[in-house]
Amino acid sequence: MGAAFCKLYGKITQQVKHQSSGCKYTCHAQCRDQVALDCHQNGSINGCPLNPLAQDHLNNNQSSHSDVEKEKELRTHLTCEDIRQKVEQYNTKSRDHFKMTLNTNGMYTGFIKVQLDLRRPITVKGGGVGGVKGQEAFYLPRGSINTLHISSTNTVRQVIEALLKKFTVADNPAKFALFKRFSREDQVYTCKLSEEENPLFLRLVAGPSTDTLSFVLKEQQTGEVMWDAFSIPELQNFLRILDKEEQDQICSITRRYNAYREKLEEAMRATGGPG
């Protein structure tokens, strides 16, 4: 039980092992070499001070905050006519049937696609996936994309709740966060959205291309595991999953070494050595 518990703790906490000293960006320890950040601490690089424009250009974290402020300012200054023109431009560029509709009151509705990137199993209510009775934990396929129809007034929190409801997920919505993924200067960045932001507005401003902007649902990235947020059945299910993974690894290693042993014995027989 002690080994399984350590594996469980390590598996859940691996997402918070490394934090950039410059911009405080947090990522998985094993993903450190795959993350491209141009952040620099104290506005300098190699001891040389940077001017404000260069610092803003280099610091990913600052750029993300700057984007949020620009979006808020843009939302404030958009008139009804501006929104109408943007909706028309969006629908013209859209290559599928997921168009936006502008209502007479200035509110608009449309579709967003959310990629699911969940590492832990979700708890599904009875009557959900596979006709489950009661509650049971499932791994959702990582990378699967779900489409939601929302309005311009829907917030990030409401989008998360709608996604969980669509899958009849019983987990607390506070366990999850919505991220936006966008490209800039041949780099791909991921930024957590605040609960009060409006994803459909971001979609409207960015246009319909998911290469320009896409949404990803992930678990919350906290410094410590929130054990109180998990129920006893969830923790028990984690242990069952870990036990199964452990047995699978044992079987895989055993098969591999048996194959090595057979090859060595064949080689020894071929050279006339003792079998």
Side-chain angles (χ1 to χ4, degrees):
M1 181 63 71
F5 181 85
C6 289
K7 286 179 63 181
L8 170 67
Y9 185 86
K11 195 166 188 177
I12 298 178
T13 56
Q14 64 182 356
Q15 61 186 22
V16 290
K17 288 294 185 181
H18 176 72
Q19 186 179 70
S20 168
S21 60
C23 65
K24 306 304 180 184
Y25 179 88
T26 303
C27 68
H28 303 152
Q30 69 269 32
C31 298
R32 178 178 179 178
D33 295 334
Q34 303 177 33
V35 177
L37 289 177
D38 290 325
C39 57
H40 300 276
Q41 191 172 17
N42 298 327
S44 64
I45 181 170
N46 295 330
C48 300
L50 298 174
N51 61 55
L53 289 177
Q55 174 64 19
D56 183 66
H57 174 73
L58 290 171
N59 195 309
N60 177 32
N61 191 51
Q62 289 184 2
S63 297
S64 299
H65 286 297
S66 176
D67 289 340
V68 173
E69 295 303 320
K70 289 178 181 177
E71 287 159 2
K72 288 181 179 178
E73 183 179 354
L74 179 60
R75 187 185 297 110
T76 302
H77 288 84
L78 280 181
T79 65
C80 292
E81 178 61 21
D82 292 332
I83 293 176
R84 186 191 65 78
Q85 291 180 5
K86 284 190 174 293
V87 169
E88 287 184 356
Q89 293 170 2
Y90 182 95
N91 290 338
T92 301
K93 294 178 181 178
S94 179
R95 301 301 180 187
D96 51 34
H97 60 279
F98 296 126
K99 309 292 185 181
M100 290 197 185
T101 303
L102 179 63
N103 299 326
T104 55
N105 60 1
M107 186 181 74
Y108 49 96
T109 58
F111 298 86
I112 62 169
K113 296 179 180 179
V114 181
Q115 181 181 354
L116 305 180
D117 188 16
L118 304 178
R119 294 179 173 272
R120 298 195 292 266
I122 59 170
T123 303
V124 179
K125 302 175 184 176
V129 179
V132 177
K133 295 181 179 180
Q135 291 187 355
E136 191 165 336
F138 286 90
Y139 273 112
L140 284 178
R142 290 188 62 189
S144 59
I145 296 177
N146 200 271
T147 303
L148 284 179
H149 184 257
I150 62 174
S151 76
S152 55
T153 60
N154 287 136
T155 62
V156 165
R157 181 176 182 83
Q158 290 172 329
V159 168
I160 293 174
E161 291 173 349
L163 274 172
L164 300 183
K165 183 178 180 181
K166 192 170 185 177
F167 286 99
T168 65
V169 176
D171 296 273
N172 188 339
K175 292 181 184 179
F176 306 94
L178 190 66
F179 291 75
K180 68 174 182 179
R181 181 182 293 153
F182 58 98
S183 301
R184 176 180 297 162
E185 297 178 357
D186 297 327
Q187 295 285 351
V188 178
Y189 299 91
T190 301
C191 175
K192 180 181 175 181
L193 297 173
S194 69
E195 290 190 346
E196 300 307 316
E197 289 191 76
N198 304 108
L200 193 61
F201 174 78
L202 302 180
R203 180 79 281 160
L204 176 65
V205 173
S209 174
T210 54
D211 293 333
T212 304
L213 173 74
S214 59
F215 298 104
V216 185
L217 183 71
K218 299 183 180 184
E219 288 95 352
Q220 286 279 12
Q221 296 180 349
T222 55
E224 296 181 1
V225 176
M226 300 167 59
W227 296 110
D228 292 342
F230 295 96
S231 65
I232 295 299
E234 284 180 309
L235 294 174
Q236 290 174 338
N237 191 68
F238 287 158
L239 290 175
R240 285 196 296 269
I241 292 171
L242 287 174
D243 288 340
K244 181 180 182 302
E245 290 181 355
E246 185 178 21
Q247 290 303 316
D248 290 344
Q249 289 295 323
I250 291 174
C251 291
S252 176
I253 293 173
T254 301
R255 286 194 300 269
R256 188 165 74 242
Y257 278 90
N258 284 340
Y260 291 158
R261 186 178 291 106
E262 291 176 1
K263 291 180 179 179
L264 288 172
E265 290 174 350
E266 288 178 3
M268 293 174 67
R269 285 194 295 267
T271 57

